[in-house]
Amino acid sequence: MDDSSQLLQAASDFVHYPGPHSDDSSRDFLNRFPLPVIINALQTQLDVPGLENTLVACLERLFNTKLGASLIPQYMPFVQVGLQADSQAVRSLACKTVTSLLENLDNDHKVAASACLIKDFNIYPLLLDCLINGNEQVAAVATDAIKKLAGFPEGMEIIFPSDKGDDTDLEIIASQCSSLGRVRVLALVVKLFSVSRSAASTIYSLNLLQLLEAEIRNADDTLVTLSVLELIYELAEIEHGTEFLSKTSIFQLLSSMISHNSMESILRSRAMMISGRLLSKDIIYSFTDEPCVKAVISSIDGRLQSLEASDRDECETALESLGHMGSSIQGATLLLSGSSPAARHVINAAFERQGPTGHGKQLAALHALGNISGETRSENNIILNAEEEENLRRLIYETASRSSKLTPSGLFLSVLQQDSEIRLAGYRMLSGLVARPWCLMEICSKQEIINKVTDPSTETTKIGMEGRYNCCKAIHKSLTVSSRVSANPAFAGIAAKFQEAVGMGPYLVKRHVEAQPAVITADRF
């Protein structure tokens, strides 16, 4: 086109059209400006202000329609050239075009045909180049395209060919990259790992998870190590991730990082959080040896013993990590095992008032104690073995005896008398602990606790009201099933009060007020 102004205006209108385009509107646009015309203008008229960005956005919307996606196979040379363009915007468009192609494969014939096109036009190596050498946006859309490709068996064969060692071997590419490129390759590995269990199995069998372990071992660059830890954190959140991670040496590496005094505090904190996330899942204990888990717990225990008062953030992270572990019954059991259980740090901090500077520490500890005591576990998994239950009771009574409150009920009341955040954590803690008869007796022995928990006006926020109500329900349930309470008429009034509180629901209910006649002096003036 000699005059690009018409194309620029029409493309701008197409881009800014509200809502998705139909095939009819796309066809009308292409009848006026066929794809070869648009592509030619994009390649030859870059000096026209705003033309490139407008055409890129226009083609992106066009290829997102069913009609536009059906045209992509005819324009694979354009995609191939676009992936190698100097313009980052054009590269981004080319990557998104590959994704659009793969999103519209609704039968096996189209999948096979598209796989052939990707092979014939060398698309996958070019996507890898965009991943490694493109800007942040290009790297992200290239990753999306490769992840979409991995969703098909034919795509997995392209990404992980049988002849290991070619120019698309991720292990070789990672070894030759800059630190940024290496992190991007590792991020791709994690994305591919999340596609399916089959993809995860392939990645594990190719030892690609060892690339992440190697980066943690090196720990030369704090930013790179932190990025890799974030990727492992992402792996821990994948449904099948725990099974494969447990087969690696990740727990040994994490416990080593946590115990390393010269390591950056932020790296130790992330290692603790990842450990907590992994060990919060019951399934991990089916694949991991107990000594590995105990080593992680021991490293956090040792770290908490050596932390100074100024290390508040790391201390809070450590307590939060123990809380995550305690949400699983196996984790809670290990935290309360032995003569000096690691859970003692949680219990000590939960009832320790240190003013504003210690607020976060106490808050983290109370939530952790709620997890360990079973607030997040199913009804059948709240109570632990006899030894661990005795350690839990002993630690709380010992903490109370060292405080000015003297009894656990005094500690509980002290928590409920603090600010709303602490109270909410206190409700969670009591909801778990009250399943134990000794805790139920402590609560029933303190009228102030009963009044505080059953009073609907105690909380003014939705989350606070729901936390108080859940605590009411847990206490009422324990009162109902406890033979010790049901046989004692002295507890009948307490049970009735909690039953009434549960019946009122979680939210503040204003009592019905009868209309009252008002006698006032008549307005005479």
Side-chain angles (χ1 to χ4, degrees):
M1 292 182 63
D2 296 329
D3 182 9
S4 60
S5 59
Q6 292 181 12
L7 173 60
L8 182 59
Q9 183 59 52
S12 179
D13 293 342
F14 190 86
V15 169
H16 293 100
Y17 178 83
H21 278 283
S22 65
D23 284 349
D24 288 339
S25 64
S26 300
R27 189 176 289 107
D28 290 342
F29 179 78
L30 289 174
N31 285 337
R32 292 180 61 200
F33 303 99
L35 267 177
V37 172
I38 301 172
I39 292 171
N40 180 65
L42 186 61
Q43 292 174 330
T44 61
Q45 300 190 31
L46 296 179
D47 56 331
V48 178
L51 181 71
E52 180 182 83
N53 289 336
T54 302
L55 293 185
V56 163
C58 174
L59 288 173
E60 184 180 330
R61 291 204 68 178
L62 182 64
F63 288 139
N64 274 332
T65 65
K66 192 170 183 178
L67 173 66
S70 69
L71 299 175
I72 295 173
Q74 304 170 40
Y75 290 91
M76 290 303 286
F78 162 68
V79 176
Q80 184 184 45
V81 171
L83 291 171
Q84 303 171 79
D86 294 331
S87 167
Q88 297 294 313
V90 174
R91 279 186 141 195
S92 176
L93 169 64
C95 293
K96 290 178 181 179
T97 304
V98 175
T99 300
S100 295
L101 170 68
L102 297 172
E103 284 178 340
N104 288 275
L105 304 179
D106 50 13
N107 59 60
D108 293 341
H109 174 71
K110 288 185 178 179
V111 170
S114 296
C116 287
L117 286 172
I118 288 172
K119 286 181 181 178
D120 293 344
F121 287 93
N122 206 35
I123 297 298
Y124 176 59
L126 295 177
L127 286 172
L128 285 177
D129 182 68
C130 288
L131 168 75
I132 296 164
N133 298 314
N135 63 17
E136 188 174 350
Q137 182 189 4
V138 171
V141 292
T143 300
D144 291 340
I146 296 171
K147 183 180 177 181
K148 186 64 68 175
L149 180 63
F152 306 99
E154 295 87 345
M156 286 294 291
E157 291 175 6
I158 294 172
I159 297 171
F160 300 113
S162 55
D163 52 335
K164 194 174 186 297
D166 65 358
D167 59 352
T168 61
D169 189 317
L170 295 179
E171 186 174 359
I172 295 175
I173 292 173
S175 67
Q176 298 172 346
C177 281
S178 64
S179 58
L180 175 60
R182 201 159 61 249
V183 169
R184 287 179 174 180
V185 171
L186 296 179
L188 174 64
V189 169
V190 173
K191 292 291 185 185
L192 295 176
F193 190 93
S194 68
V195 169
S196 65
R197 195 182 184 286
S198 173
S201 180
T202 300
I203 288 170
Y204 176 78
S205 65
L206 291 173
N207 295 322
L208 291 177
L209 292 182
Q210 291 184 4
L211 297 177
L212 284 86
E213 296 179 57
E215 288 298 330
I216 294 177
R217 284 194 183 92
N218 290 337
D220 294 331
D221 188 324
T222 299
L223 289 177
V224 171
T225 306
L226 188 60
S227 298
V228 174
L229 285 173
E230 294 299 326
L231 292 175
I232 293 176
Y233 189 89
E234 191 176 329
L235 275 176
E237 295 297 300
I238 299 171
E239 184 180 357
H240 48 265
T242 50
E243 175 185 347
F244 290 99
L245 278 175
S246 62
K247 297 176 183 177
T248 67
S249 59
I250 189 65
F251 283 118
Q252 294 92 319
L253 290 173
L254 291 173
S255 58
S256 176
M257 288 186 73
I258 296 166
S259 303
H260 204 317
N261 291 329
S262 61
M263 185 75 66
E264 293 278 351
S265 176
I266 190 172
L267 296 180
R268 283 196 302 267
S269 293
R270 294 312 292 168
M272 286 189 274
M273 286 304 298
I274 292 166
S275 301
R277 289 291 182 186
L278 283 170
L279 296 175
S280 68
K281 302 176 181 180
D282 289 311
I283 192 173
I284 196 75
Y285 297 90
S286 303
F287 304 105
T288 307
D289 294 333
E290 190 173 293
C292 291
V293 179
K294 286 184 174 179
V296 174
I297 294 174
S298 177
S299 63
I300 297 176
D301 185 350
R303 192 64 202 155
L304 280 167
Q305 290 184 65
S306 63
L307 285 174
E308 302 292 337
S310 58
D311 301 321
R312 291 197 302 271
D313 291 343
E314 192 173 341
C315 180
E316 290 172 22
T317 302
L319 293 170
E320 188 178 345
S321 176
L322 293 179
H324 284 305
M325 295 178 193
S327 60
S328 69
I329 191 165
Q330 293 94 333
T333 298
L334 291 173
L335 290 175
L336 286 163
S337 298
S339 57
S340 183
R344 71 188 186 280
H345 298 290
V346 173
I347 294 170
N348 290 338
F351 304 109
E352 207 172 40
R353 295 187 67 171
Q354 300 178 348
T357 58
H359 182 274
K361 179 180 177 182
Q362 184 183 16
L363 187 63
L366 284 168
H367 279 297
L369 183 53
N371 289 350
I372 293 169
S373 62
E375 191 270 341
T376 57
R377 297 196 293 271
S378 64
E379 184 179 339
N380 297 329
N381 289 329
I382 292 178
I383 303 298
L384 308 173
N385 297 329
E387 178 189 346
E388 287 74 38
E389 283 295 329
E390 175 55 27
N391 278 341
L392 176 61
R393 189 196 67 82
R394 175 179 58 82
L395 288 170
I396 291 179
Y397 272 93
E398 286 179 355
T399 301
S401 67
R402 293 193 301 267
S403 72
S404 60
K405 307 301 179 183
L406 300 178
T407 62
S409 60
L411 294 179
F412 300 156
L413 179 60
S414 174
V415 168
L416 297 179
Q417 289 173 334
Q418 296 183 56
D419 64 80
S420 58
E421 278 190 314
I422 295 292
R423 285 200 309 274
L424 178 61
Y427 294 139
R428 289 193 63 242
M429 172 194 68
L430 291 179
S431 297
L433 285 176
V434 77
R436 285 88 181 164
W438 62 264
C439 180
L440 181 61
M441 292 300 105
E442 288 289 340
I443 291 172
C444 291
S445 70
K446 206 80 169 176
Q447 188 63 42
E448 294 97 321
I449 295 178
I450 298 170
N451 294 340
K452 196 83 173 173
V453 175
T454 57
D455 184 0
S457 64
T458 300
E459 302 299 333
T460 56
T461 63
K462 182 177 183 292
I463 190 172
M465 293 175 186
E466 291 171 349
R468 182 199 63 81
Y469 177 70
N470 290 334
C471 185
C472 268
K473 285 201 302 183
I475 295 172
H476 178 254
K477 185 173 184 178
S478 294
L479 286 167
T480 304
V481 301
S482 174
S483 58
R484 185 175 175 185
V485 169
S486 59
N488 192 336
F491 290 103
I494 296 174
K497 188 162 187 175
F498 275 101
Q499 185 172 4
E500 180 187 2
V502 171
M504 291 178 67
Y507 307 112
L508 179 60
V509 178
K510 294 183 179 180
R511 296 186 182 277
H512 179 66
V513 180
E514 295 291 342
Q516 299 289 330
V519 181
I520 60 174
T521 304
D523 294 332
R524 297 179 181 273
F525 304 102

